[in-house]
Amino acid sequence: MSGGIARGLLGGGLLALAAIAAVAFTTTAAVAGGKLAGGVAQAEAIFAEAENLLRVGRVEQARASYERVIKEYTAAEYPQLVWRAAARVRLGDIQWRSSERALAGAEYVGVLEQEPPSFWTGRARLGLATVVLAGGDWVSAADMMQRVVTAAELGAADANVPAAEEARRRLTLIARFRLRPPLDQPLWTSTRALAISGLEFDRPVSLAAAADGQLLVVDEGLPSVLLIDASHANHSRLRYNDHTRPWWGPDGLPYLPTRRAGVIALGGGHLGFLAGDRGKPAPVKDLQAGARTLDGHWYLLDSSPRRILHFGPQGEYANRVTRELEQPVDLTVDASGRLYLLDRSSRAVVRFRADGTREGRVVSSAWRRPESVEVDWLGNIYVLDRDARTIEVFNEQGRRIARLGPSLPGGVALRGPRDIAVDGQGRLYVADRSASAVYVVQ
Amino acid sequence: MRCSSLARGRSAGTVLAAWLLAMALTPSMWAHAQTDSRIQVLFARAERLFRAGEHEAAVPLVDRVIERIDERGDDIPERLRLLLFRSLTYRVIGRWSTGARKGIDADLDRIVELDPRFEMSSDDVPRELVARFAGRRQRKIGYLQISVFPADSRVLVDGQPVDPLPDILPVLAGEHNIYADNPGFAGRTETVRVRSNRTEGVSIELERASATIRLATQPAGATLVIDDDLIGVTVAALGQAGGEEASESIVIEGLLPGWHEIEITLPDHRPFRQRIEIPDLMDYDLGTVRLDRSMGVVLLRGVPRAAEVLMDGESPPLQWQADLAASRGREGSARIELPVGSYRLVIRHGAAGIYESDLVVEDGATLRLDVALRPGLVFVGVVGGDDLDRDAVRTALLTRIERIDGWFVLDRSGDGSLEQIAGLRRSEMGTGDPEELREAVDWARLQQEVATQTSGSLFMLATVPEGTPPGVFDLWLWSAPPGSARPQRVRLAVDDQERLGMLTTQLREPLPRSRPWFGATLIDNGSSGRPTVVWVEPTGPAAMAGLKVGDEIRTVDGVEVTGVAELQQLLGATEPFAGRTLQYGRGASIAVARLTLGSSPQSIATLRSERLNAVIWAAAAAQIARADATTPAWVAELDQALILMQGAQWERAAEWLAAVRAPEDLPFGQSAVDYWRGVALSSGPEPDLEAARLALRLAAGRAGGRLHHHDGPLVAPRALARLAELELRHHDS
């Protein structure tokens, strides 16, 4: 059985990246002439087609197109072709998220060593840093990411400003979690309440953070959904409509599940989901939370019954993830596509591999009322215990490395925390309904 | 002073030339010459007849010879006198034999007058005639008995030299002048009347007038000056054609007792100067004065022993001498002794390069030259287009490359033979698609043949394809063997200053220089806003300065830094081994460290599409050949291997790298070599995966190993990534 989704206009993200790549191509393509120019345009077209396929989740078809660019537009004939480097980076990304992740690192290395310096060099470095970090070598990963930052700062041929910003955040995260503990320095040192001109929180109940620090806050008291920029100085309001717990997708888009209206993708469209293992598919209602992977798969938590459902990139129903006795209250996905669900009944976080296979309980603790789970780029797991007013932080292996609350660093006391979020550099955000505040811990 | 025995042995040509000149000036003498030759022809005919026994036929001819000679009157040259004498002799014998004896006595008298010393023998002449001649002679001659002191004096009788001086000298009866002289003696004349058939004695004793000096020079041709008077030039001995043999001896007279300055000079030889004292009026013999050639020394420093050294195209003998360079492990200096003069010095040493210089060798001086070999850049020529196109391209290129330091530019564009070797004809220029030309030319053969014809490390050939806009041309570059024969092509235009400038930039600095070494990895820490140390190379400069993981850099020499890029720019502008002061935070405290930057060699980056690989190959080969102390040879060898890999010559690159030995204890060293070897072994149509895995494991096993330079990207993550791929490929296979 399959469901369907109403397609809206999903902008930003991949397309934005494609636009930047087009600027870089124009610069370098000026060198080509004659029949080579025709070849370059063809390569660009194939790459763009692959990007579209990837965006809508048709990964294998996208992969085939990327491989075609690599195979048909060789370095011997097109030494300056940026699209080949781009295709190799994308191929590496796909391999990393698949059973072929062992090939991803070599693909990124190939871009660094065999392709001319370009915008895509930075992305290859970031990709390789992710591979290296997964192997436990954070120093090498930091070395690579710093080169991305430095290249952008110096305006080098391989400058990639968006990648540099992402790298900068990750470096701050690494500094927080790898440099501070050996020096006996606390991971977070201060807390402040978000103070935005023209905005007073009333009952903030849920929030989501983008990697760059943009926030989406659901305040049921105002009632509004607030979109706050990365500088935390400006905001815009959206009409509240029974939204529940938002999330920020790896595609850079915010998503708002609702109790009645499916999922709203900010920037366009309401998305409704149909699910059912037997018989007629039924609309999924009362969505509490959700997550979306980079290759477009959906994981949605509905509350009646409490279950986490898996949908494919086109919105087709795939399967139910949770078991019968599980009482999931929140879920999230990490940078490598692993799914985490917070099960209140077993007081545990269960992790699923990127291929969907269940890994098992990664974290378990004597929480009183686990409410929310988050994961950062390093794989650290954050769990909010609503009743205990604490936030516990665990490393990727499930060892607890920090505990915050009820008094946060700097002396701010939590009163009624309802949701947490963490951004790309490890800043923690807490929605405290009782305090009518959103706190930033850094 | 005067000198005897000078200038004897003038060549026949000189005599003829002088004679011809004389003939040109004296028309009558030219007529005489014509007559003389006719007389000789007549005489020859007569002599043939006479020897054949045809006396009757010979006599009339002889009559005519005598008649013609007598027409000259008293002015009979010596050669005709001899003919007259012989002719009279034949006539006498002929007339006697034919019985026409009238006038014989007159002839006999004339014979005696012509040569008083002549005595007719009876071997071929009738005895009666001999007796008759003897009787006529007796009436006409007397005898002189001349004694002279010194005995070796020159004697002239009536102006004719008598040498050797006989005991008894027959002369015509009458008055005779006897003159004697000798170098160093005053000449003296005695007059004596000789009666027929009587012997008159003459004794001449010469008086000493001056001292004499006898000397010869070796070699001949030297100019002799005594007391500022030019005496003359010594001449080669008879039978010697010049060269280094001694001259004939000369005797200088007119020297009075006292001090005299002798100076003997010869071009390209050191002058002989001597002050001598002549004590008495005597003869002195200085023997053979040997003149030494003027020689200078050229000392070449920095020449490899295996280099070819040519002076004006010849290989002079070299002496190697130790000097400071030898004590530092280099070759020392090559010493060459040369005659004075100007020379063209050319030194060639394969890939290490070429050195050329014009020099002047001065007598007794040592010319020291520091030889810096530069790799040869050979401009083969321009093919295609018309004359104007080719001139424009040639001018545009040569104007740019001739001024580049670091290369020795050889312009062979005027040498049609190289273009012939290239085998390129206009028809091969094709439709303007240079890739068609690439396939049409046998580049391997071209590389070999051009390299055989001319020394060089890098070769450039320009082509003007049909159908391209005016001024546009392709420049093909390839390096000498064992570099790749497959050329790189760059499209340029004669007025495209930017692209031409790119070419000269590549040539000027083909290889990266060494760079300062910091020895730590820092990151931009958003929490603190300071560059923060995450890794310190244990043996590096940062470790020596005391930096540790977690330190946050605040200032460099008092200048605040807020980012890693800023810090790198500040340190990157520092020379290796220079010192900087860093202020850093560690926890709650602030400290200061004195950092002395190290020096790191650098290899080329992996792929830069605008780079000219042939240029890099040639420059690297020159570095290796010169054993350049500033850059380790292994880095140049690694660069060459990377060039091979760029050209997809994987197997060759792997073999190349297998021979490279790099330091194991430095970040940029053997780990980088092992890494690239692993990459080469795992690439290409027939990879050696097992060997590749071994190499990559070695590379990954060295902690802190870096690519490109000591602060470069880490080797281990890349090696591990490639290993993971290889394991999967191995598993799949």
Side-chain angles (χ1 to χ4, degrees), chain B residues 455-537:
Chain B
S455 300
S457 300
L458 179 66
F459 300 89
M460 295 167 47
L461 172 72
T463 59
V464 183
E466 287 179 10
T468 51
V472 172
F473 64 98
D474 288 323
L475 188 66
W476 304 79
L477 297 103
W478 67 94
S479 49
S484 174
R486 194 165 175 81
Q488 258 179 308
R489 180 182 64 85
V490 180
R491 177 148 286 192
L492 299 167
V494 298
D495 55 0
D496 185 349
Q497 299 305 323
E498 189 184 341
R499 300 272 291 172
L500 287 169
M502 179 267 296
L503 174 67
T504 52
T505 300
Q506 291 275 312
L507 288 169
R508 190 173 294 119
E509 290 192 19
L511 295 173
R513 297 177 182 172
S514 60
R515 53 179 283 157
W517 174 27
F518 180 47
T521 299
L522 298 105
I523 62 172
D524 282 315
N525 183 355
S527 301
S528 66
R530 306 277 186 196
T532 305
V533 179
V534 296
W535 163 263
V536 180
E537 170 61 38

Side-chain angles (χ1 to χ4, degrees), chain B residues 26-308:
Chain B
T26 315
S28 60
M29 291 178 75
W30 175 247
H32 283 314
Q34 293 272 55
T35 305
D36 289 353
S37 67
R38 287 198 205 103
I39 292 174
Q40 284 177 345
V41 167
L42 263 179
F43 175 81
R45 284 171 57 194
E47 190 173 48
R48 275 199 301 276
L49 287 170
F50 185 84
R51 285 189 179 160
E54 297 179 36
H55 294 179
E56 197 166 339
V59 167
L61 290 177
V62 172
D63 285 342
R64 285 165 64 190
V65 171
I66 294 169
E67 188 183 320
R68 296 251 173 107
I69 293 174
D70 284 343
E71 284 171 3
R72 299 289 285 271
D74 293 332
D75 182 24
I76 299 176
E78 185 60 32
R79 60 186 178 281
L80 287 184
R81 284 171 64 84
L82 182 59
L83 270 189
L84 178 62
F85 175 85
R86 291 169 70 185
S87 299
L88 287 167
T89 305
Y90 284 143
R91 186 159 76 176
V92 159
I93 297 171
R95 280 182 174 170
W96 186 272
S97 66
T98 58
R101 299 181 183 180
K102 186 180 177 184
I104 279 182
D105 286 340
D107 283 348
L108 289 174
D109 287 345
R110 285 190 79 184
I111 289 171
V112 172
E113 286 163 8
L114 283 170
D115 189 1
R117 286 185 276 183
F118 173 70
E119 291 183 22
M120 196 175 279
S121 77
S122 60
D123 290 340
D124 297 319
V125 176
R127 295 161 74 99
E128 295 83 3
L129 180 58
V130 171
R132 184 126 172 202
F133 175 78
R136 300 301 299 181
R137 186 169 181 264
Q138 196 173 20
R139 289 192 189 96
K140 291 193 76 69
I141 68 168
Y143 301 91
L144 276 172
Q145 189 174 28
I146 302 172
S147 72
V148 66
F149 178 83
D152 63 345
S153 300
R154 182 174 71 138
V155 175
L156 283 79
V157 176
D158 299 327
Q160 297 296 318
V162 180
D163 184 22
L165 184 66
D167 292 335
I168 301 290
L169 179 68
V171 295
L172 288 174
E175 193 172 271
H176 295 278
N177 291 321
I178 294 99
Y179 172 81
D181 67 7
N182 205 318
F185 292 85
R188 191 170 154 194
T189 301
E190 292 287 343
T191 303
V192 63
R193 176 166 290 280
V194 178
R195 290 173 290 173
S196 59
N197 208 24
R198 291 282 191 271
T199 299
E200 297 293 336
V202 177
S203 178
I204 301 177
E205 186 171 336
L206 300 178
E207 285 186 10
R208 196 79 189 175
S210 70
T212 67
I213 293 176
R214 173 187 292 272
L215 62 86
T217 65
Q218 183 177 18
T223 301
L224 177 59
V225 172
I226 297 180
D227 298 333
D228 294 329
D229 285 336
L230 174 64
I231 304 300
V233 178
T234 59
V235 298
L238 277 177
Q240 301 293 339
E244 295 299 307
E245 299 299 322
S247 70
E248 280 196 349
S249 289
I250 61 171
V251 177
I252 305 111
E253 60 181 333
L255 295 163
L256 295 175
W259 288 96
H260 298 276
E261 303 276 351
I262 295 178
E263 183 185 71
I264 304 173
T265 57
L266 182 64
D268 296 333
H269 290 74
R270 296 189 182 132
F272 173 87
R273 292 190 181 91
Q274 192 162 353
R275 192 171 150 79
I276 61 167
E277 186 188 12
I278 294 180
D280 287 315
L281 294 177
M282 290 178 66
D283 296 327
Y284 298 92
D285 189 345
L286 289 185
T288 300
V289 175
R290 191 181 166 76
L291 298 172
D292 293 327
R293 288 190 78 91
S294 301
M295 299 285 278
V297 171
V298 175
L299 205 60
L300 301 173
R301 295 190 286 215
V303 178
R305 283 202 188 224
E308 182 188 24

Side-chain angles (χ1 to χ4, degrees), chain A residues 298-376:
Chain A
W298 301 85
Y299 294 91
L300 300 175
L301 168 64
D302 72 0
S303 59
S304 51
R306 275 199 178 266
R307 54 188 179 164
I308 293 180
L309 304 171
H310 171 207
F311 297 85
Q314 308 300 319
E316 67 279 16
Y317 174 69
N319 60 290
R320 173 179 170 166
V321 173
T322 47
R323 293 175 177 166
E324 287 298 329
L325 295 180
E326 285 174 342
Q327 189 189 8
V329 293
D330 196 11
L331 75 162
T332 189
V333 293
D334 69 11
S336 54
R338 292 181 295 188
L339 171 70
Y340 299 73
L341 65 89
L342 178 61
D343 180 37
R344 187 172 285 167
S345 64
S346 61
R347 287 176 168 71
V349 174
V350 180
R351 189 161 64 194
F352 295 76
R353 299 185 190 89
D355 62 3
T357 57
R358 193 181 181 97
E359 193 178 324
R361 291 183 188 179
V362 63
V363 165
S364 182
S365 185
W367 299 307
R368 286 157 58 180
R369 188 177 176 181
E371 184 69 34
S372 174
V373 64
E374 279 291 333
V375 178
D376 66 23

Side-chain angles (χ1 to χ4, degrees), chain B residues 540-715:
Chain B
M544 296 299 122
L547 291 177
K548 293 187 188 321
V549 173
D551 290 345
E552 295 177 351
I553 310 299
R554 300 166 71 89
T555 66
V556 176
D557 287 343
V559 176
E560 190 171 3
V561 288
T562 55
V564 172
E566 199 180 338
L567 177 66
Q568 281 185 1
Q569 280 187 310
L570 277 172
L571 294 180
T574 309
E575 286 300 311
F577 308 117
R580 306 299 286 262
T581 301
L582 301 185
Q583 186 192 66
Y584 63 95
R586 181 176 294 171
S589 56
I590 295 174
V592 170
R594 182 72 185 161
L595 170 76
T596 301
L597 289 166
S599 176
S600 171
Q602 246 190 127
S603 72
I604 55 176
T606 40
L607 181 70
R608 299 257 309 271
S609 57
E610 72 278 13
R611 189 181 55 208
L612 299 172
N613 291 333
V615 173
I616 292 171
W617 180 280
Q623 247 181 18
I624 295 165
R626 285 199 303 264
D628 191 338
T630 59
T631 303
W634 72 268
V635 179
E637 289 165 356
L638 174 61
D639 285 339
Q640 289 183 312
L642 290 170
I643 298 293
L644 290 173
M645 288 167 68
Q646 289 250 1
Q649 298 182 64
W650 305 108
E651 204 175 317
R652 199 163 161 223
E655 286 169 5
W656 202 271
L657 289 164
V660 177
R661 290 290 168 264
E664 303 250 359
D665 57 348
L666 290 172
F668 175 45
Q670 190 60 38
S671 57
V673 174
D674 289 334
Y675 175 75
W676 291 118
R677 189 161 156 263
V679 172
L681 286 165
S682 62
S683 304
E686 295 182 9
D688 183 345
L689 297 184
E690 189 53 43
R693 282 203 293 272
L694 269 169
L696 288 170
R697 278 192 206 117
L698 273 175
R702 288 189 193 89
R706 304 242 174 203
L707 293 172
H708 310 320
H709 55 82
H710 291 332
D711 288 322
L714 289 161
V715 169

